[in-house]
Amino acid sequence: MPSPEDSLEQVIERAEVTPKDVRSAMWRHIITLQWSWNYERMQALGYMWSMLPIIKKVYPNKDDMIGAMKRHLTFYNTNPQIGSPPIFGATVALESQKMGDAVDSLKIGLMGPFAGIGDTIQGVLVRPMVAVFAAALALAGSWAGPAMMFVLGLIWCALMVPLFYLGYRRGVGLVDEVAGEGVLSKVTEWATIFGMMVVGGFVPSIMSGLTTPLQFHKTVEVAGKATTKTIALQDTLNQILPSLFPVLVVGLAFWMIHKLKLSPIWVLLSLVALAFITGSIGLF
Amino acid sequence: MMASYSIWIALVLGILAYLGIVLNLGPGLWLQEALVVGVITGLIVGNVHLGLTIGATLTLMSLGMWTYGGATMPDFMTGAILGTAVGALGGGETAGLAVAIPASILMTQLDVLGRAVTTVFIHAADKYTERGDIRGVTLMHLLGQLPWGLTRAIPVFIAVWLGAGPIQHIINALPHWFMHGMQVTGTMLPALGFALLLNQMPVKKHWAFLVIGYVLYAYLKLPIIGVALVALAGAALYLKLRGSEARAES
C-alpha cells in the first residue's frame, strides 16, 4: 500500500521497471543461472531468481507476485550462454509490460531450438577448432594454448550481454527471425568444410608420436661382401603412407563410434587396451 | 623432489576445482577447460610444462564432447588438476595421465550425485515461494552451488592432501610394461576426440576435404596454419561455386 505522503507520480514510478532492474536481472542470469541446476527442473530456479527484480516491481500485490514466481518455477533448460540470454531478454520485456501470460509459451517454444543452436555453435563449430589449435600450441610448450581457451570462455561470456538485449528489444519477434533466413545452415556448412580439412591435417600432426620402433635386419651383398643392413619399418612406411598409424587408429575409433555405436567411454577403454597390447608386443 | 603435498596446496587446488565448476554454471568455461586449469595447477605445484601437456592431452580427448542438454561427460577439469598434481611429484606425464584418465571417468559418478542432490534446494524453494519469502528463495538458489562445487572440491582436496604421496609410491612400483602402455595410451587417445568430432560431421559427403588436409600436412609438410588458410579458401570457394551452380539451375 502506498503511504499517504506519496504523490501520484511516485506511485506510478514505483511500478515502472527501470533500466537498472533490467540490468540487475541480466547480471543475475549471467552469473548464476545454473547454480541450482538439478535433474528435476534443471535451470528453473535460476531463471525465476534472475527474474525477481522485475517481478517485485510489476506485482506489488503479494499474491500476484507469488503467482508470477510459481509460473517461472516450471521446467526450463536450454543452452546457457547462446540460447538462454535472448529468451530471458524477451521474457524480461514481456514481464515488464505485465504480459506474463505470454511468457510460458515463449519459453517452452524457444528453449528446445535455442539449445540446439547454442550447443551446435559452441560444441561443434567453435570449441573443437579452437581447442585443437590450443592443444597443439600447449603440446609445443606454449602459454598461448591455455590463453586461447581462456579468451574463448571470455568471448562467450561477453556475448551474453548483447544477446540478452537482442531478446529484450525484439521480444516475441525473435521467433520469426530465428525460424527464417537460414544463415545458420550456411555458417554450419562453411565451418564443416573448414573443420574437415583442418582435422585432416591435425590427425598426423598431433599424433605424430605414434610411430613404430620395429626394425628389420636384412643381409645384402655389397660389392661381393655380405653385410647386415638395418631397415626401420617406420622409414619405409613414411615413404608410402606417412602417419599411417595415426590414420588407422582414428579410423578404428571412428568406426567404433559411428558403426558400432559404442559410447565414448567404451571407445576410450578399447583404445587403452589396444595401447597396452601393441605396446607390450613392441609395435609401439 | 617432494614426496607429498601440504594441506595448503591441497586446499588451494580444492578451491580451484570449486571455482572451475561454479563459474561454468554461470558465465562459462574459462576455468573449467582442462588446458586452463592444468596450467594453473602446474603453476601452483611448480611444473607448468606438465600442466600444459596433461591439459592438452585431455583437451584432445574431449574434442567432440559437449554437455548436450545437461548430459554428464567425463570431468576433464578434475582429471587435469589431479593428473598434474600427482605427475609433478616425479612421475611426469605418464604418471599424470595414469591418474588423470581414470579420475576423469570416475568423477562422472560424483557429477550425477551433485546434480541429484541439488533437487533438494528447488523443493525447499517451492515452499518459500508459497509463502512469498524472497530471502528464502534467494538462499536456496545461491546455496545450490554447494553440491556442485563440493563434489569436485572434496575429492581433489583429499586426493591431493592424502592420496598424492601414496599414489606416487604405487606408480613408482609399477612395472615397466605398464608405464610403457600408459605412454602409448597418451599418444593414441587424441584419436577418441578426433573420432567423436568426425562423428558429428558429414564425413560421407565431405570426405574429400579430410584427405586434402591430410595430404597438405603429411606429404607436403605444410605448417598447420598453412593448412588452416587453405581450408579457409577451400570452404569459401566451395560455397561460392555451389551458390552459382544453384543459381544456374533455377
Side-chain angles (χ1 to χ4, degrees), chain B residues 98-133:
Chain B
V99 169
I101 293 164
S104 303
I105 297 169
L106 288 175
M107 281 302 294
T108 54
Q109 302 300 320
L110 289 174
D111 182 58
V112 171
L113 178 74
R115 288 163 186 258
V117 168
T118 322
T119 310
V120 174
F121 290 85
I122 196 165
H123 282 282
D126 281 338
K127 293 206 183 79
Y128 285 118
T129 302
E130 210 67 59
R131 280 182 255 148
D133 181 346

Side-chain angles (χ1 to χ4, degrees), chain A residues 229-274:
Chain A
K229 216 174 149 194
T230 307
I231 300 166
L233 177 61
Q234 189 65 48
D235 288 344
T236 316
L237 285 175
N238 283 349
Q239 286 162 14
I240 309 162
L241 252 179
S243 313
L244 171 69
F245 290 116
V247 172
L248 282 181
V249 176
V250 171
L252 177 73
F254 178 69
W255 177 71
M256 284 194 278
I257 292 166
H258 197 73
K259 280 273 145 56
L260 300 187
K261 309 280 177 210
L262 292 181
S263 77
I265 301 275
W266 281 109
V267 178
L268 171 70
L269 293 176
S270 312
L271 287 179
V272 173
L274 180 70

Side-chain angles (χ1 to χ4, degrees), chain A residues 9 51 79 117 133 141 153 171:
Chain A
E9 279 108 12
M51 193 63 85
N79 171 282
I117 294 170
F133 274 98

